[in-house]
Amino acid sequence: MGSVILDKSYQPDEVEKRWYDFWEKEQLFAASENKTQKTYSIVIPPPNVTGVLHMGHALNITLQDILCRYRRLKGDNVLWMPGTDHAGIATQNVVEKMLASKNTHRHQLGREKFIEAVWQWKEKYGSAIINQLKRMGASCDWQRERFTMDEGLSLAVRKVFVQLYNEGLIYRGKYIINWCPRCHTALADLEVDHDEVNGNLYHIRYPYPNSTKGLIIATTRPETMLGDTAMAVNPNDNRYVGLKNNTVILPLMNKEIPIIKDEYVDMSFGTGALKITPAHDPNDFEIGLRHKLPSIVVIGDDGKMTSEAGKYQGLDRTECRKAVVKDLEEQGLLVKIEPHMHSIGHCYRCKTIIEPNLSEQWFVKAKPLAEKAIAAVKSGETKIIPDTWANTYFDWLENIRDWCISRQIWWGHQIPAWTCTTCNELIVSMDTPTSCTACDSTQLVQESDVLDTWFSSALWPFSTMGWPEKTPLLKCFYPTSVLVTGFDILFFWVARMMMMGLHFMDDVPFKDVYVHALVRDEDGKKMSKSKGNVIDPITIIDNYGTDAFRFTLAAFAAQGRDVKMSEKRVEGYRHFVNKLWNAARFALMHLGEEQKELILKDLSLPDKWILSRLYSIIDSVTDALEEYRFNDAASTIYNFVWHEFCDWYLEAIKPILYEKDKKGCRTSTMSVMWRVLHDILIMLHPFMPFVTEEIWHKFPGTEDSILKTAFPANEESKAKKLKNKDAEVEMEIIEKVITGIRNIRGEMNINPSLSLTAAIHTIDSQITEIVDRYENIILDLAKLESLTVTDPQERPKFAAAAVIDGASIFVSLEGIIDFEKEAGRLEKELEKLDNELSTITKKLNNDSFITKAPDDVVKKVKKKYLALIEKQDKLKTNLDKTRSFANN
RNA sequence: GGGCGGGUAGCUCAGUUGGGAGAGCAUCGGCCUUACAAGCCGAGGGUCACAGGUUCAAGCCCUGUUCCGCCUACCA
């Protein structure tokens, strides 16, 4: 008897902590830097250091961990590089809030003190997310954990900046950028979320000088008119060809501004006249450049009107709009207000409405970098999976605009540029210069802006591996094998890593990009704090265990489809974890300590069958994982474990284990049970690391951690030998006999404890043989007292009949049979059969099907037809008999 | 405006070269059968969004319509 008795149900909490500590202590996740083995590497999408784990991380981490653990089991030298991102604006916001609660402000502290405070904050809270990743079971190489603000990574940032500047790919200039008045910084175009809002279209008359007549423009932003420096019409617009006036008066400001002609103006919109505000609209800015118009900044960095706005100075931009509209109305210049749907940009960090503002910023010239990034995916050097995302990737890169990389915040990599206050020379350098390169002055002031956080994360795949040094790590693991990420950062991060990787490493940063979906709530809505539909992964883990949670995520992670998460689903997979646990519990009750090899002598049919099935499952799971079909892999194992291994195999071998079946070889059967469960544990390990490790250690014939074992593979000729089609066919016959009998029991409401006798009528020698040989399996699983095989003869009267291919089974129900009920049951069967038969008959009566369909298809259909006819015949006979019995 | 994805059982979804419509959960009926009631056995339930087309054959391929979701864009 068995060596270890497991508890009746699996208790995850204690197990998880114990094994994670063990794995870390033994350094089982550590990558080796010598390149003798096949290598496999992934860099983690670094979570924000301020962040807490959400569902998106949970899915992302689970998928990466499945890949990493799978690859280790396959024998690869795996590096999973972990780390966090300094998340400039987000982190600064958090710390500023903290300061505000202490009634202070960053400007009160000063830059240096403030940055110090952020570092302190990071040290204190920055490990929260890392600990949460560990609770997910993430098998990262924690010794190598990186942070985007680490010294090494900061050096990489400076190096990249200086080189790009010297190559002319970074420049500084005064352009319209997206300004967040609340975060008080410029943002890249990508960092602006556009939302449709119900706004108004204000029609305003700009009078000609000394006239009450004038031109009418339409605008959604009347407050910007204070900064208008022209009015524009299309040169092809007939309405304005013979225009006498070439100026209008800007209302409220009482300033004469020119009427210019520019083809940009859309003649079909409104009156075809457009007001031009070069300092507050990107298009107007371009037009302003073309026509050498002055730019007047009327809205300041704080969102309030500047002194250029005259009497509106100091008003907030929203208040100013109201005031302007009111004044225009009073002066009779407001023609009308129309409701107008349009989209408005919001800051992606704080949701404040973005202000397009003229300001001096740093930019990356993106086009040349983008071209290489496009080519690498076109040529297949990097594969995007699912490939539908490649189109999105191309579309963005092909239309890319220059990337504004400077941010007016303090937390981040300060731009390595200095201005000489004496001669105004701009110096860009890796190291802090001591004197001006032009005039030798020592009066140098460093650029106060910091870089966009995504600038440093774009370097992540190589900066984490020690670049610009030529490290062994880079040699081993760059390019990385795959990047696993959500589509929401395809442009932010993936495309930019491609650009930087190709430029600085001269090679793609990853061979595959696996783009997974978003996790939504059970109604398919995006989870958000404001909606209150957020499910906290840690709560799920507390309640259901990490393994159940991970398996749920994997099982629902179908390519191209969002994951809808609900506790109920996790609960379902917790049952699966428990099922596995109990299968192991059962096995361990029988297995002895000494069990450690597969014995192939005297195998029973269930043994041959389950081994055959095991080896096809190994193939399917392997293929699915190689192709990132996580849900396929998960459901394949799930069905195998539950419905084949537990429902059929373990039940079928009970007669042998309990030595009721004298013909069985108990030793061999136990070895098969051992081997199949052994391989199941390994295959499930990437999905459910904790429970598999726990069982593994109680399992005979195993030593050390399950992480150190090998994934079952089919390279051996053994696999070929063990795949056994005959056994699968034979087992199917047994299953059908048993199911037929069970069906009768169920339909006739016969208590399972009641033992019955049954007879099988058949002339099929294969069925006869199998039923005879494996009688006790059938007796056991169908709860029969006896089963006799006979040639077709007079059917027993008090019996219910089940018809399968090639045989009728009569279950003796003497004294309990209800002929009416039995007739009803058979009629129902017959009806189903008739339906099937009619479609198949139609096919066979169709000449073109016979002539045009491939032979094997026709053959199959004919065979099916014959089988159905035979079945129909038997059912009819049985029905007739039953009816006649009923009437007697 | 452009692009992408989706509409299959009550719910969530699978369905890999076109050839017998599936799973889980939920529902109904029967069971504490010595691994598991977080379980076992059985059953019911679908015009595969709609309309055409190609084909011997369409959930799958083509065209159109419609509904939903997402991404993207400087029409004031």
Side-chain angles (χ1 to χ4, degrees):
Chain A
M1 271 284 141
S3 44
V4 196
I5 304 290
L6 300 181
D7 289 344
K8 235 180 155 180
S9 65
Y10 173 64
Q11 300 300 334
D13 23 329
E14 178 270 338
V15 170
E16 289 175 9
K17 190 173 172 357
R18 179 154 45 80
W19 286 119
Y20 202 90
D21 289 348
F22 172 81
W23 294 330
E24 267 205 289
K25 203 179 104 233
E26 300 288 315
Q27 301 209 8
L28 296 179
F29 306 147
S32 152
E33 291 189 11
N34 67 60
K35 209 181 171 167
T36 48
Q37 272 165 286
K38 204 173 149 228
T39 57
Y40 186 84
S41 56
I42 296 184
V43 290
I44 204 170
N48 291 357
V49 70
T50 54
V52 288
L53 194 79
H54 58 61
M55 279 290 166
H57 295 123
L59 173 63
N60 181 250
I61 292 301
T62 298
L63 300 184
Q64 290 174 79
D65 198 48
I66 288 170
L67 291 174
C68 287
R69 286 179 188 264
Y70 167 69
R71 286 292 166 174
R72 282 192 203 100
L73 291 170
K74 276 283 189 186
D76 290 1
N77 175 17
V78 172
L79 169 66
W80 186 7
M81 174 70 75
T84 48
D85 186 300
H86 68 278
I89 299 174
T91 306
Q92 176 152 334
N93 283 352
V94 169
V95 176
E96 281 186 325
K97 245 179 225 162
M98 186 266 290
L99 291 180
S101 72
K102 291 183 183 169
N103 280 326
T104 177
H105 191 267
R106 71 177 157 116
H107 292 287
Q108 244 169 317
L109 285 172
R111 186 166 187 143
E112 226 167 279
K113 281 263 165 62
F114 176 75
I115 289 172
E116 222 169 84
V118 182
W119 274 107
Q120 277 169 14
W121 194 93
K122 186 250 168 191
E123 297 306 328
K124 201 164 166 192
Y125 299 103
S127 55
I129 187 122
I130 296 294
N131 290 328
Q132 290 177 321
L133 296 182
K134 291 179 180 176
R135 286 211 62 192
M136 285 298 301
S139 60
C140 301
D141 189 350
W142 295 110
Q143 300 299 312
R144 301 184 194 276
E145 186 185 335
R146 297 287 189 273
F147 178 52
T148 45
M149 293 275 282
D150 281 350
E151 211 173 308
L153 278 74
S154 301
L155 179 80
V157 166
R158 280 205 302 282
K159 168 107 181 157
V160 164
F161 185 93
V162 172
Q163 190 179 322
L164 287 177
Y165 179 80
N166 291 335
E167 291 168 343
L169 292 172
I170 281 182
Y171 62 91
R172 188 171 66 164
K174 215 171 182 185
Y175 296 92
I176 292 270
I177 44 82
N178 307 292
W179 182 264
C180 174
R182 204 222 56 85
C183 298
H184 220 264
T185 180
L187 297 172
D189 296 335
L190 267 182
E191 294 170 315
V192 178
D193 292 333
H194 295 274
D195 291 328
E196 286 259 301
V197 293
N198 283 310
N200 291 319
L201 199 54
Y202 300 86
H203 295 252
I204 303 164
R205 179 184 298 116
Y206 284 30
Y208 299 127
N210 309 315
S211 166
T212 51
K213 288 186 181 162
L215 290 177
I216 296 166
I217 56 89
T219 179
T220 54
R221 304 202 53 201
E223 69 279 11
T224 62
M225 69 181 287
L226 304 173
D228 284 359
T229 53
M231 154 94 60
V233 295
N234 194 300
N236 305 317
D237 195 330
N238 293 330
R239 288 171 291 187
Y240 304 113
V241 167
L243 200 64
K244 282 177 201 139
N245 295 285
N246 49 17
T247 61
V248 286
I249 299 295
L250 177 61
L252 308 182
M253 302 303 279
N254 287 322
K255 214 169 76 180
E256 196 168 347
I257 55 173
I259 300 172
I260 59 169
K261 302 205 166 172
D262 195 289
E263 299 210 340
Y264 168 79
V265 182
D266 182 352
M267 292 183 278
S268 63
F269 191 92
T271 58
L274 177 65
K275 68 188 225 29
I276 304 296
T277 324
H280 295 289
D281 181 282
N283 296 310
D284 292 6
F285 178 74
E286 293 296 324
I287 295 170
L289 284 183
R290 282 200 286 276
H291 297 272
K292 298 195 169 53
L293 298 172
S295 296
I296 301 172
V297 176
V298 289
I299 303 171
D301 286 350
D302 52 1
K304 292 196 166 105
M305 306 313 289
T306 66
S307 57
E308 298 281 1
K311 70 167 184 169
Y312 303 97
Q313 179 181 2
L315 283 181
D316 183 82
R317 52 190 172 150
T318 52
E319 294 162 23
C320 179
R321 175 178 303 177
K322 287 179 205 153
V324 163
V325 170
K326 185 167 163 270
D327 292 348
L328 286 170
E329 200 169 11
E330 278 168 10
Q331 295 178 24
L333 294 171
L334 184 67
V335 181
K336 61 175 170 180
I337 302 177
E338 281 177 336
H340 183 69
M341 270 285 264
H342 62 140
S343 74
I344 293 187
H346 296 78
C347 171
Y348 83 138
R349 286 291 175 213
C350 74
K351 304 297 159 210
T352 302
I353 292 177
I354 288 301
E355 192 58 50
N357 234 348
L358 185 61
S359 123
E360 178 150 87
Q361 301 288 344
W362 294 82
F363 298 87
V364 170
K365 198 181 275 181
K367 199 120 213 153
L369 297 168
E371 277 161 12
K372 286 195 262 184
I374 293 168
V377 174
K378 287 239 156 105
S379 72
E381 272 176 274
T382 292
K383 222 166 69 190
I384 298 182
I385 303 142
D387 64 359
T388 159
W389 288 107
N391 292 328
T392 314
Y393 171 86
F394 291 138
D395 189 60
W396 187 72
L397 284 170
E398 277 157 10
N399 299 302
I400 199 165
R401 286 179 294 157
D402 287 355
W403 172 19
C404 174
I405 50 170
S406 43
R407 298 290 176 271
Q408 287 65 50
I409 55 173
W410 289 348
W411 176 238
H413 302 101
Q414 200 168 349
I415 291 178
W418 288 262
T419 310
C420 173
T421 52
T422 313
C423 73
N424 231 17
E425 176 76 2
L426 182 66
I427 304 155
V428 171
S429 146
M430 283 283 288
D431 306 308
T432 308
T434 48
S435 62
C436 175
T437 46
C439 73
D440 281 338
S441 156
T442 55
Q443 301 299 302
L444 302 175
V445 181
Q446 186 172 2
E447 169 66 76
S448 61
D449 290 358
V450 300
L451 288 164
D452 182 359
T453 306
W454 296 105
F455 188 88
S456 53
S457 25
L459 320 179
W460 188 251
F462 51 93
S463 65
T464 51
M465 295 190 197
W467 188 90
E469 298 288 319
K470 288 193 174 117
T471 62
L473 204 57
L474 275 171
K475 223 180 197 157
C476 264
F477 295 108
Y478 191 97
T480 64
S481 310
V482 60
L483 179 81
V484 179
T485 188
F487 60 79
D488 48 334
I489 51 176
L490 189 62
F491 309 140
F492 275 111
W493 195 46
V494 181
R496 285 163 178 171
M497 280 192 285
M498 287 292 286
M499 296 195 277
M500 294 300 193
L502 284 161
H503 194 73
F504 288 93
M505 296 297 295
D506 208 23
D507 200 349
V508 294
F510 16 76
K511 292 180 200 124
D512 286 352
V513 177
Y514 180 69
V515 180
H516 63 246
L518 245 51
V519 182
R520 299 174 181 282
D521 74 1
E522 56 187 320
D523 303 318
K525 295 205 186 76
K526 212 167 166 170
M527 289 189 190
S528 75
K529 276 184 210 154
S530 52
K531 280 196 207 117
N533 60 349
V534 175
I535 307 175
D536 173 23
I538 299 298
T539 310
I540 296 281
I541 290 174
D542 288 342
N543 292 340
Y544 301 96
T546 299
D547 291 325
F549 182 40
R550 287 171 57 122
F551 205 86
T552 309
L553 289 166
F556 281 98
Q559 286 189 6
R561 212 186 258 266
D562 287 339
V563 178
K564 288 182 194 159
M565 177 54 60
S566 81
E567 287 207 33
K568 245 185 161 174
R569 284 172 205 147
V570 185
E571 194 182 343
Y573 286 104
R574 182 179 60 171
H575 297 175
F576 177 59
V577 177
N578 197 51
K579 188 73 182 176
L580 175 73
W581 179 261
N582 273 289
R585 181 170 189 258
F586 175 77
L588 290 173
M589 284 174 166
H590 294 88
L591 295 173
E593 296 274 13
E594 67 289 350
Q595 191 75 55
K596 56 176 161 244
E597 59 177 356
L598 180 61
I599 302 163
L600 292 174
K601 198 169 55 102
D602 302 325
L603 292 183
S604 70
L605 174 61
D607 293 328
K608 290 179 194 162
W609 167 75
I610 199 73
L611 284 171
S612 178
R613 291 296 305 141
L614 172 68
Y615 279 91
S616 34
I617 291 312
I618 291 171
D619 278 349
S620 312
V621 171
T622 305
D623 290 349
L625 285 177
E626 298 283 345
E627 292 165 24
Y628 305 103
R629 288 183 286 113
F630 298 95
N631 60 322
D632 285 347
S635 65
T636 301
I637 312 180
Y638 179 97
N639 284 319
F640 177 68
V641 170
W642 201 312
H643 300 302
E644 298 192 276
F645 184 67
C646 291
D647 288 352
W648 285 105
Y649 178 71
L650 290 183
E651 295 303 327
I653 61 170
K654 277 179 181 175
I656 298 173
L657 292 181
Y658 292 116
E659 295 178 310
K660 277 198 278 183
D661 184 349
K662 300 287 185 289
K663 285 179 266 181
C665 174
R666 189 166 180 270
T667 322
S668 297
T669 294
M670 286 217 298
S671 84
V672 171
M673 174 174 77
W674 170 83
R675 174 56 174 271
V676 176
L677 190 51
H678 176 276
D679 286 0
I680 284 173
L681 288 174
I682 301 171
M683 278 193 287
L684 273 174
H685 176 74
F687 298 87
M688 311 197 309
F690 295 106
V691 69
T692 50
E693 179 79 302
E694 174 72 4
I695 296 171
W696 186 258
H697 283 262
K698 316 233 168 185
F699 212 64
T702 61
E703 46 190 71
D704 217 328
S705 167
I706 193 170
L707 271 74
K708 290 193 181 170
T709 190
F711 200 83
N714 283 350
E715 84 283 341
E716 332 156 33
S717 56
K718 198 189 259 174
K720 267 201 187 119
K721 212 169 73 192
L722 293 176
K723 279 197 188 170
N724 187 335
K725 195 73 206 163
D726 291 345
E728 295 196 20
V729 170
E730 288 176 11
M731 190 65 189
E732 204 180 319
I733 293 173
I734 292 188
E735 287 178 13
K736 277 194 178 143
V737 171
I738 292 166
T739 307
I741 298 166
R742 281 174 174 173
N743 177 281
I744 291 171
R745 302 193 76 120
E747 296 272 296
M748 307 298 272
N749 280 350
I750 295 161
N751 193 305
S753 58
L754 191 61
S755 234
L756 302 171
T757 62
I760 294 190
H761 292 191
T762 184
I763 50 167
D764 185 324
S765 62
Q766 194 190 16
I767 296 180
T768 311
E769 220 170 280
I770 292 168
V771 169
D772 185 50
R773 170 65 188 83
Y774 296 102
E775 186 191 15
N776 41 51
I777 294 176
I778 301 171
L779 294 185
D780 222 51
L781 298 195
K783 275 271 153 54
L784 294 180
E785 204 162 79
S786 71
L787 176 68
T788 49
V789 185
T790 54
D791 280 346
Q793 51 185 349
E794 189 62 17
R795 60 157 287 170
K797 181 171 178 181
F798 300 104
V803 173
I804 63 168
D805 287 342
S808 292
I809 306 156
F810 297 102
V811 178
S812 170
L813 297 174
E814 192 136 17
I816 43 178
I817 192 161
D818 175 341
F819 288 117
E820 297 290 345
K821 204 169 172 185
E822 169 67 358
R825 198 180 64 85
L826 292 172
E827 271 165 12
K828 204 175 67 183
E829 288 277 302
L830 202 52
E831 199 183 325
K832 267 200 279 188
L833 200 77
D834 287 344
N835 287 337
E836 228 179 309
L837 208 46
S838 83
T839 55
I840 216 166
T841 311
K842 233 182 262 168
K843 245 185 197 179
L844 288 173
N845 287 340
N846 185 344
D847 281 344
S848 24
F849 172 72
I850 305 291
T851 51
K852 288 186 179 169
D855 285 348
D856 58 320
V857 173
V858 177
K859 231 187 214 167
K860 219 167 113 188
V861 173
K862 278 184 175 160
K863 199 175 153 198
K864 177 84 180 172
Y865 174 77
L866 292 176
L868 286 179
I869 287 288
E870 191 210 314
K871 238 177 167 175
Q872 189 188 39
D873 187 50
K874 283 186 177 141
L875 275 172
K876 270 185 183 157
T877 314
N878 280 316
L879 182 58
D880 288 348
K881 292 275 182 194
T882 307
R883 278 204 187 115
S884 75
F885 293 145
N887 295 333
N888 286 337

